[in-house]
Amino acid sequence: MKLTLGFLSAALALPCALAANSFAGANNYYIYALPTADRIAILDGMKAAGMKVLRTWVTGVGAGQKNSNNIAVPDLEAGGIGNYNDQVLNLIDQLMVDAHARGIKLLIGMHDKNALQGGDIYARTYTVDGFYTRADAINAFNQRITHILNIHKNALLGNQAWSNLSPYIFGLEPQNEPMIFDQSFYLAHLSWICNAAQQIRNNVGDRNQLIFTGGGSAGASVQSTFFGSSCTAIDVVAIHDYTDGYDSYMPNAISQAKAAGKKLIVEEWGSLVGSGRTANLNSNVQKINNYKVPWVYWELISNPDPHQGEDYEIQVNGADWGTISSASQSTAGLTNAPFDFSGALAL
C-alpha cells in the first residue's frame, strides 16, 4: 500500500512540474519618480492586463522623461563614489509597496549602462571601460550593491533590507545592458557580469530573488558562459531583442538553459510606432509565445507618447494599449512553459 501511494504521489506530482505558466511584464526606468497618480495609473493598467513583473533600475533621472511629470532624482552616488544619497532607493521603496498591492513584483537593476555612457560618477572616476576592468572600480561597485541590498532599509516595510523582501522583489541584476555598446569588449568581459551577479548573491540568500544577466544585443544576450560553472550566481539569462529574430537562437538557448538548470526571459522587446505596429506587436508576441518564454515589454508610460528617439512607448489606456494588454492576458494563459518562475512570482 505504501509503495502504491508513493507511486501515485510521484505520478500526481509530475503534471504539476510540467504545468508552469508563462507571464508578461513591463519596463519603465523612471516610474519611481512619477507623481503618485501617474505611477498608480501604470500599475493599475498592468494589473488589469495580468502583468506580473515591473522592471526598473537604480539610477538618477532628469525631470520630464518622455514628456512626463516625473521629478529629477540624483543617482545613488551622484555626490561621489561611496557617498550614498538614498532618495532613489526611498522612491523605489514606495514603488515596491504600490506594485505589491496590485500583485506585481519588481525586477531591479543596480545600475544602467546608459548612465555610465552618459558620464556618471563611475565614468568620470574610472572611464567607461575602466568601470568593468579596474579593481578599484569593481570594489566600489560591489560596495554599491551591498549598500542597496543590505545597508539601505525600507522604512515602509518594517525597516527591512531589500535582501529580505522577496515578496516584493522578483529579481535583481547588476546593470541594464552591460557593455552592449561594444560587442568585442562584451564578449571579452562576460566574467564581469558573472562576478557582479555573485556579489548580489553574496548579499541575498533567498533564492526566490532571482539574479539576471541584464540583457544584451538580441541573440548575443545568450552566451554559453552564463550556463557554465564559472557563472553559478546567474539564475536567468535575460534577452533584449528588437530584431524579432527569436527563431534563430531560442531553440538552442532553451536547451542550454534547461540543461544548466537556469531560465530565460525576453526582458526587453518593443515595436516601433508606425503603420505596421499592431501587426508587429502581434507577430512578436506570437513568436515569443511559441516558445512559452515570459516577456517584459519596453516600455509603458503614463502620458501620451511624445514620439522621441526610438519610439517603442505605449501609453496605458492609450494607443495600442488594447493590443499589448490582450497579449499579456493570453500569455498568462500559456501552460507547460519550459521554465517555472512560480517561486519568484509568489507574493
Side-chain angles (χ1 to χ4, degrees), residues 103 177 203 300 307:
E177 298 184 337
N203 277 276
L300 297 185
H307 305 302

Side-chain angles (χ1 to χ4, degrees), residues 21-24 49-50 282 285-286 289 295 323-335:
N21 278 53
S22 192
F23 63 90
N282 287 325
V285 171
Q286 182 179 19
N289 284 355
W295 52 263
T323 301
I324 201 68
S325 176
S326 176
S328 172
Q329 292 166 349
S330 63
T331 298
L334 294 174
T335 59

Side-chain angles (χ1 to χ4, degrees), residues 199-221:
Q199 177 67 6
I200 294 174
R201 182 54 72 205
N202 290 346
N203 277 276
V204 181
D206 191 334
R207 306 294 296 197
N208 284 326
Q209 288 194 41
L210 300 173
I211 301 179
F212 295 65
T213 56
S217 181
S221 301

